[in-house]
Amino acid sequence: MSTITVIVSQEIKDVCPHFVGACIEATVTNSPYSDALWTEIDALCAKYRSSLTTESLKDLTSIAATRRIYKLCGKDPSRYRPASEALIRRVLQGKELYQLNTLVDLVNLASIAYGYSIGGFDADKFEGDTLTLGIGREGEPYEGIGRGMLNIQGLPVYRDAIGGVGTPTSDNERTKITPSTHHLVVLINGYDGDEQRVRENAEYIQDLLRKYCNSDGGTYHIYR
């Protein structure tokens, strides 16, 4: 299993000099559904419904920081919502979360739990072993998962050797997790600069992988 290198471009550093990210890389076994995982998801959703509103969730530091970076990069965060905010909003509106497969559901739980927008990828579909975090350009082609062609101009975007693979709004169809995914990479976007909390989120994901994906949790590294 190759080791993925993540580079933060100068254009991101210019708008968010305190950015800190985490890259978790693990060998996993996916499954269609985990009842025990969904027990955890449902418990957290119930907690949020009793403690948050669709307005107050914007004040969560991880979400507020991501929204602020969207604006600095030139994107409207209310039109192109960060995935973490969109997931929690869905919960607070009384809607059910989408159930896809264990790995995707697990990444969604980790995103909801900490408020960071988190990308989950089948790393065997990457071109090359380096990802670079930059800002989307005008006319840059990008097919969001279940969203068709997405205008990523002004969105933070991770690119491999041939193009974009992930944004905080939507990951790319080309590198998405499937039932046959075995080489997993998860990227946590800490636009609030809170390294301790980003590390806690990474370790939480490792723990979930051990419990639900027949994995030793893999390894993670911090990048900035």
Side-chain angles (χ1 to χ4, degrees):
M1 186 171 70
S2 64
T3 299
I4 300 298
T5 299
V6 186
I7 298 170
V8 180
S9 70
Q10 189 60 49
E11 60 185 355
I12 289 291
K13 292 179 180 179
D14 286 344
V15 295
C16 189
H18 54 275
F19 172 87
V20 57
C23 175
I24 302 104
E25 193 165 0
T27 300
V28 296
T29 301
N30 203 358
S31 61
Y33 178 83
S34 168
D35 188 65
L37 173 61
W38 273 90
T39 297
E40 284 200 49
I41 293 172
D42 289 340
L44 183 58
C45 289
K47 177 183 175 182
Y48 277 4
R49 289 188 185 109
S50 67
S51 61
L52 284 175
T53 68
T54 54
E55 285 303 312
S56 66
L57 79 89
K58 295 178 185 177
D59 296 328
L60 297 178
T61 56
S62 47
I63 290 176
T66 306
R67 290 176 62 88
R68 183 168 60 253
I69 294 305
Y70 269 40
K71 292 176 182 176
L72 290 173
C73 290
K75 212 66 167 177
D76 180 356
S78 294
R79 184 177 179 191
Y80 293 85
R81 292 192 191 280
S84 55
E85 179 185 348
L87 286 167
I88 298 173
R89 281 179 64 88
R90 186 172 180 84
V91 169
L92 298 178
Q93 290 167 348
K95 300 175 182 177
E96 295 296 321
L97 291 179
Y98 300 109
Q99 189 277 311
L100 297 167
N101 57 61
T102 296
L103 281 175
V104 174
D105 299 341
L106 181 155
V107 170
N108 285 343
L109 170 58
S111 181
I112 291 170
Y114 284 81
Y116 292 121
S117 287
I118 300 175
F121 308 92
D122 187 326
D124 289 336
K125 298 175 181 176
F126 289 152
E127 291 293 331
D129 59 5
T130 300
L131 299 175
T132 302
L133 176 60
I135 299 174
R137 298 181 288 264
E138 182 178 2
E140 183 172 359
Y142 189 94
E143 185 178 1
I145 298 174
R147 300 172 69 111
M149 298 307 292
L150 187 66
N151 174 13
I152 65 167
Q153 181 181 5
L155 279 179
V157 58
Y158 289 95
R159 300 182 181 96
D160 65 5
I162 63 172
V165 300
T167 75
T169 289
S170 175
D171 293 330
N172 198 303
E173 281 280 352
R174 175 168 63 89
T175 51
K176 72 179 182 182
I177 292 168
T178 68
S180 60
T181 295
H182 290 292
H183 181 188
L184 176 73
V185 160
V186 179
L187 302 176
I188 302 171
N189 295 285
Y191 289 100
D192 60 356
D194 189 339
E195 181 176 337
Q196 180 178 343
R197 189 165 170 79
V198 168
R199 287 186 180 276
E200 289 172 358
N201 199 171
E203 290 160 7
Y204 176 65
I205 290 170
Q206 289 183 299
D207 185 50
L208 292 175
L209 292 174
R210 294 184 191 102
K211 289 196 288 185
Y212 302 120
C213 297
N214 192 29
S215 174
D216 65 1
T219 61
Y220 82 87
H221 68 270
I222 294 293
Y223 55 93
R224 49 169 53 87

